[in-house]
Amino acid sequence: MDFYYENYGLTSTYDVLQNLHLYIVIDTIMYWFVVILRTPQSLVAGLMWIGSTNGRYSMRHVCQDSDELKTYGWTEHNGRDYGHQVLVDQEMTLQTSFLKSKEHGSSYGGDWAVRIEVENDEAKLIEEMSRSIHLFFYVADENGSALNLGSGAADFDDDSILASGYQRDIGNWQLQLNTEDEFEFHYSGFRTPYIHNLSDLVQANLGTQARKVGRLQLSDTSDDSSNILVFQLSARIPFKADIIFLSGTLAQKERVISLAGASLTNRLSEKQKEFADKFQRCFNLSDELDSESVTMGKAALGNLLGGIGYFYGRSKIALPDSPNIKRGDNFISYWPAELYSAVPSRPFFPRGFLWDEGFHQLLIWRWDIHICLDIIGHWLDLMNVDGWIPREQILGAEALSKVPEEFVLQHPTNGNPPTLFLVLRDVICSIKTNTFTAAESNGISVFLDRAFLRLEGWFKWFNTTQSGKSVSGYFWHGRDNTTTRELNPKTLSSGLDDYPRASHPSEDERHLDLRCWMHLAADCLQSISELLEKENEHGKEYKSTAKLLSDFELLNQMHFDDVYGAYFDYGNHTEEVRLTWQVVEKVNSYPSRELIREVLEKPVLRLVPHIGYVSLFPLMSRLIPPGSWILEKQLDLISNRSTLWTNFGLRSLSKTSSVYMKRNTEHDPPYWRGPIWMNMNYRILSALHYYSREDGPYREQAKRIYDDLRNNLIRNVVGNYYQTGYIWEQYDQQKGKGKGARLFTGWTSLVLLIMAEKYNEC
Ligand SMILES: *[C@@H]1O[C@H](CO)[C@@H](O)[C@H](O)[C@H]1NC(C)=O
Ligand SMILES: *[C@@H]1O[C@H](CO)[C@@H](O)[C@H](O)[C@H]1NC(C)=O
Ligand SMILES: *[C@@H]1O[C@H](CO)[C@@H](O)[C@H](O)[C@H]1NC(C)=O
Ligand SMILES: *[C@@H]1O[C@H](CO)[C@@H](O)[C@H](O)[C@H]1NC(C)=O
Ligand SMILES: *[C@@H]1O[C@H](CO)[C@@H](O)[C@H](O)[C@H]1NC(C)=O
Ligand SMILES: *[C@@H]1O[C@H](CO)[C@@H](O)[C@H](O)[C@H]1NC(C)=O
Ligand SMILES: *[C@@H]1O[C@H](CO)[C@@H](O)[C@H](O)[C@H]1NC(C)=O
């Protein structure tokens, strides 16, 4: 059964783009600050410093919550060649500014410079130890090639070259330091293939030295085999230094000068202005928004773009005959693959997620269509011959180190919402409305032509493997039909994890959200066929499928409940289930008390009466005619405080649902059972915006709800940002408080599109 290994055997989708200028990535996904090349086994440069948490000093390196930074993130970032990050560690503020530059003579991704500025909050009483900083800047060849220590390491007055070397993709390179501030300098060389725990080696070296010389300083040793060089700069705060990386033809003094000191200051402020201008052009935020909201909007965009990373490795695929194996040994490896992807959250989800990506790109394409297509192309290249794409990309040892075991294996029987079609639909719409230049439109067509076979493959995979028993009925595979632990067996493949479905998973199920995703995909493929003039070959089939899936009568027959006035899933269901503590006998062990599901009534085939995000999918897909009374019912459900409405956005699940805010197991708190999520709120707003502009009896009502919902969402996310320093994964439906992962600048960044009122316009 080799076919799981095979990719499409087609030329890569993304390299048609030749986005060479994107080949250096400021990779702050895993780390507080790191620069890498967008190739496997690349050259890596990064920053560490010593900080203190609860009186204990530790090395800051990997981006993690336990370091307890008060706030951090990119206040600006253009996704290409400029970014500015602020990190607040206790009383100390570090700023890292990044500039990439394609100078005459530079090779591959170009030259770059990083400015590091450290300041203290002078208003606070600061202990002597905190008045100085130990910065550690390193450069590493992941492929293991030895690096040369520069002469600057011995004597700063003459020459400030810290290190140099040769790398296959960039040729010769060198790293220079430039600062006017006083500092003490030390260094050390290491040989290791691992970057993620480099701080352990550095700390060990410092420990040994401290015992020897009684000071916190590196050993000033390195040998011919070192593939990592670490430079320690110890200085009084405030301190400022520029680090410059040159590639290609070296030894041009002007190039260094232009990337350091006053010249760097000027170039950074030009970039900052460019960013502000482009932000204004792209989002055209209206004057009614206050400056706090605008600043947060820039941070939302900056962090989304600053959260784009490059990954390389092999996914682990569960063997098809044993879908429930959790042990991790029954898998095969996918082919080694590259992924360029925006991550949902640097500290918590530092890897690619398929369904999140579509929402990320709704924002990114409006900022930079090239970056967007590059990312979509990478995802499509991950498709196997069946048309399946693994939904969570855990590529490489570093990514693996952050994932709970149960989520590691990818199941080739299970899907994930094809959200990339949301983006392609928007992009095609914008071609039609002439938003792009002719060259851009042409580039997009070339890309779509290259991508078309894969997009079709993707659709067909869903249309065959996830179809249900009835025509136009679909269901998410992968629910556990044997568990007795879960209140309502999870539907991870849908993206909505614990959102309640039929109590008893079966092949009779029909999932409303998947049906609507299928409509989107068919409709989008039809538009692409038209655009590429493939109409005769392919267009007709998509047209008829899209027509079938948008048939209002059929939709209502299959999913509408007259009593509730709501759209529901269908399946083998009873409301009479509950979790109770029971004593479970065990072989070779003591009995234990566990939460077990009790079923108090025989399930039957019926509509599944939970009102929430899934119920609103037909509205999001604009399948309800503007004149229909059903539209009014949907508006009622949205605006009713007893069901979905709160002052902070719409709940994921109605207060009236039998599993509202219920735990799924002892260890599984409610996730999509009440809290407010931005991706779905964005789609609902987009639909309300649409209905508030279509002629019909409910137009005014839609407009009122739209305005209120939009204001609530913006106010709450902005308020939380200023109170806590962070943008959050979800928001509590009672008080509006940020919840879950913080610095979640994946789809929560869609709040910027909400501020800008940018939705699908076709
Ligand atoms: C990595 O090293 C191997 C052997 O040492 C070499 O063949 C290969 O070209 C190197 N790769 C890069 C990216 O430098
Ligand atoms: C770093 O991590 C790797 C595995 O990821 C491990 O083999 C190695 O021993 C670790 N090194 C240190 C210094 O902890
Ligand atoms: C920007 O928004 C204003 C209204 O706030 C509008 O009048 C103007 O046309 C918009 N400009 C662009 C370029 O969309
Ligand atoms: C669970 O689903 C599998 C696959 O569809 C099926 O073979 C099995 O009979 C089902 N088990 C129960 C208890 O329904
Ligand atoms: C999707 O599947 C249905 C049912 O098998 C089929 O009638 C339809 O033609 C398929 N659509 C496409 C575009 O392949
Ligand atoms: C519904 O689930 C129950 C319990 O598993 C089962 O006995 C019954 O056959 C199922 N009904 C249908 C129509 O699948
Ligand atoms: C709001 O929803 C509750 C619960 O379903 C219902 O009892 C009430 O009548 C609804 N209110 C309005 C104004 O529709």
Side-chain angles (χ1 to χ4, degrees):
M1 296 263 271
D2 276 354
F3 57 91
Y4 295 103
Y5 300 106
E6 276 176 43
N7 69 16
Y8 236 65
L10 298 171
T11 359
S12 138
T13 313
Y14 62 86
D15 58 54
V16 68
L17 299 160
Q18 294 287 313
N19 274 348
L20 275 173
H21 46 272
L22 296 177
Y23 279 13
I24 290 178
V25 182
I26 322 168
D27 187 347
T28 46
I29 310 311
M30 286 287 294
Y31 305 100
W32 293 120
F33 186 87
V34 156
V35 185
I36 61 167
L37 285 185
R38 216 177 87 172
T39 53
Q41 306 300 332
S42 89
L43 199 63
V44 176
L47 176 70
M48 298 186 264
W49 71 94
I50 295 178
S52 88
T53 312
N54 301 325
R56 279 192 59 229
Y57 288 92
S58 70
M59 194 69 86
R60 309 289 198 224
H61 184 216
V62 173
C63 177
Q64 57 190 7
D65 247 29
S66 56
D67 285 352
E68 293 185 16
L69 266 58
K70 284 183 186 153
T71 180
Y72 62 92
W74 296 94
T75 55
E76 294 162 356
H77 194 304
N78 68 10
R80 287 176 178 252
D81 58 7
Y82 164 71
H84 177 246
Q85 185 182 216
V86 179
L87 307 120
V88 181
D89 191 354
Q90 305 298 324
E91 269 65 55
M92 185 171 74
T93 301
L94 271 98
Q95 300 188 63
T96 54
S97 306
F98 180 87
L99 182 85
K100 208 158 80 180
S101 156
K102 189 83 185 158
E103 306 282 338
H104 180 69
S106 64
S107 71
Y108 199 60
D111 301 344
W112 53 257
V114 176
R115 168 160 295 170
I116 302 161
E117 290 166 278
V118 191
E119 282 169 353
N120 261 332
D121 183 350
E122 285 300 335
K124 300 260 167 61
L125 217 64
I126 290 167
E127 15 167 336
E128 189 51 30
M129 173 78 184
S130 321
R131 291 190 176 275
S132 54
I133 175 85
H134 298 279
L135 293 173
F136 299 83
F137 199 88
Y138 62 84
V139 57
D141 186 313
E142 281 189 301
N143 201 33
S145 297
L147 308 181
N148 309 318
L149 194 62
S151 52
D155 181 359
F156 260 96
D157 294 337
D158 291 327
D159 189 346
S160 61
I161 294 176
L162 295 175
S164 62
Y166 175 86
Q167 206 267 356
R168 191 187 56 192
D169 299 307
I170 49 179
N172 291 315
W173 59 265
Q174 70 188 36
L175 192 71
Q176 302 218 3
L177 173 71
N178 185 292
T179 175
E180 294 187 344
D181 294 344
E182 302 253 318
F183 65 98
E184 198 181 312
F185 180 85
H186 297 282
Y187 68 90
S188 180
F190 299 93
R191 175 145 198 96
T192 170
Y194 304 110
I195 309 286
H196 66 279
N197 54 11
L198 174 63
S199 55
D200 294 349
L201 291 177
V202 172
Q203 270 169 312
N205 184 300
L206 287 172
T208 309
Q209 283 300 109
R211 283 189 293 278
K212 257 196 229 160
V213 299
R215 303 192 49 187
L216 201 60
Q217 61 181 55
L218 287 172
S219 58
D220 294 327
T221 53
S222 172
D223 62 36
D224 293 349
S225 68
S226 301
N227 68 319
I228 300 187
L229 292 173
V230 181
F231 307 101
Q232 175 183 6
L233 312 180
S234 304
R236 297 283 293 182
I237 300 173
F239 178 70
K240 181 162 103 178
D242 299 337
I243 310 251
I244 303 112
F245 178 90
L246 298 184
S247 65
T249 321
L250 300 176
Q252 291 177 36
K253 201 153 178 72
E254 320 78 81
R255 259 163 77 196
V256 179
I257 293 169
S258 83
L259 281 168
S263 166
L264 181 60
T265 307
N266 289 340
R267 292 178 73 175
L268 287 172
S269 61
E270 269 167 37
K271 283 286 171 191
Q272 183 169 30
K273 186 169 178 316
E274 251 176 49
F275 176 84
D277 292 347
K278 184 168 178 187
F279 186 85
Q280 175 56 29
R281 272 201 317 280
C282 257
F283 301 109
N284 193 24
L285 296 184
S286 88
D287 299 338
E288 45 133 1
L289 289 161
D290 53 26
S291 66
E292 274 89 24
S293 303
V294 176
T295 303
M296 196 226 51
K298 284 183 182 163
L301 175 72
N303 280 305
L304 178 63
L305 293 167
I308 295 176
Y310 168 84
F311 306 87
Y312 180 79
R314 310 179 72 165
S315 289
K316 293 182 176 181
I317 313 297
L319 288 174
D321 52 342
S322 50
N324 291 323
I325 293 274
K326 299 226 164 77
R327 273 280 150 74
D329 48 351
N330 204 350
F331 68 89
I332 49 177
S333 293
Y334 222 46
W335 64 86
E338 295 181 87
L339 180 64
Y340 191 51
S341 169
V343 305
S345 165
R346 280 166 59 192
F348 285 93
F349 305 109
R351 53 191 174 274
F353 285 82
L354 181 53
W355 104 286
D356 293 66
E357 193 77 86
F359 292 102
H360 301 159
Q361 299 311 318
L362 286 177
L363 189 53
I364 293 178
W365 80 259
R366 290 183 152 89
W367 177 257
D368 191 324
I369 182 69
H370 296 281
I371 296 179
C372 168
L373 296 182
D374 202 339
I375 289 174
I376 292 180
H378 274 84
W379 276 100
L380 293 178
D381 280 9
L382 291 170
M383 185 180 291
N384 75 2
V385 277
D386 294 341
W388 172 74
I389 305 177
R391 74 187 183 98
E392 190 169 336
Q393 293 290 327
I394 306 155
L395 305 177
E398 296 184 358
L400 193 60
S401 70
K402 288 236 174 182
V403 186
E405 194 171 302
E406 60 175 307
F407 298 117
V408 170
L409 293 193
Q410 302 295 305
H411 297 269
T413 46
N414 303 352
N416 203 210
T419 53
L420 301 180
F421 283 110
L422 281 175
V423 187
L424 296 176
R425 183 189 56 171
D426 272 15
V427 169
I428 291 160
C429 167
S430 296
I431 291 180
K432 288 184 191 150
T433 54
N434 291 321
T435 317
F436 294 114
T437 64
E440 281 171 336
S441 295
N442 189 46
I444 295 165
S445 297
V446 171
F447 175 84
L448 288 174
D449 197 41
R450 184 73 83 90
F452 193 75
L453 269 177
R454 285 187 173 91
L455 293 172
E456 283 205 288
W458 206 18
F459 178 88
K460 298 240 146 95
W461 182 85
F462 278 99
N463 201 37
T464 48
T465 67
Q466 310 291 296
S467 58
K469 284 192 173 164
S470 50
V471 179
S472 86
Y474 297 90
F475 72 101
W476 296 110
H477 287 42
R479 296 187 72 202
D480 186 345
N481 62 357
T482 56
T483 175
T484 54
R485 304 294 155 115
E486 299 178 52
L487 181 62
N488 186 287
K490 284 207 275 203
T491 317
L492 291 173
S493 41
S494 73
L496 302 166
D497 299 17
D498 66 344
Y499 185 96
R501 310 282 180 161
S503 60
H504 289 68
S506 71
E507 310 218 321
D508 289 299
E509 278 189 84
R510 301 202 286 259
H511 291 141
L512 180 59
D513 49 340
L514 181 51
R515 188 181 199 278
C516 292
W517 287 120
M518 293 306 292
H519 168 256
L520 168 73
D523 187 56
C524 190
L525 276 162
Q526 185 205 333
S527 308
I528 298 175
S529 312
E530 271 169 26
L531 186 78
L532 302 178
E533 293 167 353
K534 289 186 191 270
E535 241 178 307
N536 296 337
E537 304 161 56
H538 304 271
K540 270 201 197 118
E541 213 181 345
Y542 294 110
K543 196 170 184 168
S544 66
T545 299
K547 193 153 174 278
L548 181 75
L549 292 173
S550 60
D551 185 307
F552 191 48
E553 291 308 316
L554 184 62
L555 170 72
N556 292 343
Q557 267 170 40
M558 293 175 71
H559 290 283
F560 190 69
D561 186 307
D562 290 315
V563 179
Y564 288 85
Y567 288 101
F568 293 139
D569 283 344
Y570 175 88
N572 193 15
H573 182 72
T574 170
E575 285 286 283
E576 300 298 319
V577 292
R578 64 179 186 204
L579 293 178
T580 53
W581 288 101
Q582 293 178 20
V583 176
V584 179
E585 302 289 339
K586 293 201 167 152
V587 189
N588 298 335
S589 177
Y590 295 111
S592 61
R593 265 167 61 78
E594 290 175 15
L595 264 186
I596 304 287
R597 181 169 92 160
E598 273 189 319
V599 179
L600 306 170
E601 177 194 76
K602 193 172 159 46
V604 292
L605 290 176
R606 53 172 289 190
L607 290 168
V608 182
H610 297 290
I611 293 167
Y613 290 162
V614 166
S615 317
L616 298 177
F617 264 76
L619 177 93
M620 296 181 214
S621 307
R622 307 174 185 182
L623 295 178
I624 306 168
S628 166
W629 64 275
I630 290 180
L631 177 59
E632 187 182 25
K633 289 301 295 183
Q634 307 303 296
L635 297 176
D636 288 347
L637 292 174
I638 288 173
S639 57
N640 187 333
R641 285 179 188 275
S642 304
T643 48
L644 299 176
W645 189 266
T646 78
N647 289 345
F648 321 104
L650 298 182
R651 289 186 189 95
S652 37
L653 189 62
S654 166
K655 251 171 117 174
T656 55
S657 161
S658 57
V659 301
Y660 173 68
M661 287 311 282
K662 290 242 170 92
R663 296 179 88 81
N664 199 40
T665 66
E666 188 182 346
H667 307 289
D668 247 343
Y671 201 44
W672 293 85
R673 294 184 178 175
I676 296 158
W677 294 80
M678 192 56 64
N679 60 338
M680 290 292 121
N681 272 281
Y682 172 77
R683 289 208 65 207
I684 295 161
L685 261 187
S686 172
L688 291 170
H689 189 252
Y690 165 78
Y691 286 113
S692 69
R693 288 144 61 108
E694 290 290 300
D695 275 337
Y698 313 113
R699 186 176 170 161
E700 290 304 314
Q701 195 185 346
K703 171 78 176 130
R704 262 198 321 277
I705 299 174
Y706 168 80
D707 286 337
D708 289 349
L709 179 56
R710 174 170 175 267
N711 288 336
N712 286 344
L713 288 164
I714 296 172
R715 194 185 54 243
N716 192 50
V717 175
V718 173
N720 267 280
Y721 180 68
Y722 284 96
Q723 265 160 31
T724 64
Y726 290 100
I727 291 173
W728 295 78
E729 181 181 16
Q730 17 153 316
Y731 293 87
D732 166 69
Q733 73 287 357
Q734 279 169 332
K735 299 257 169 67
K737 228 169 135 294
K739 283 179 67 166
R742 58 184 201 179
L743 196 79
F744 190 99
T745 42
W747 63 42
T748 307
S749 304
L750 289 172
V751 68
L752 173 57
L753 291 188
I754 292 174
M755 297 199 294
E757 306 199 77
K758 299 270 184 206
Y759 311 104
N760 180 274
E761 302 291 345
C762 292

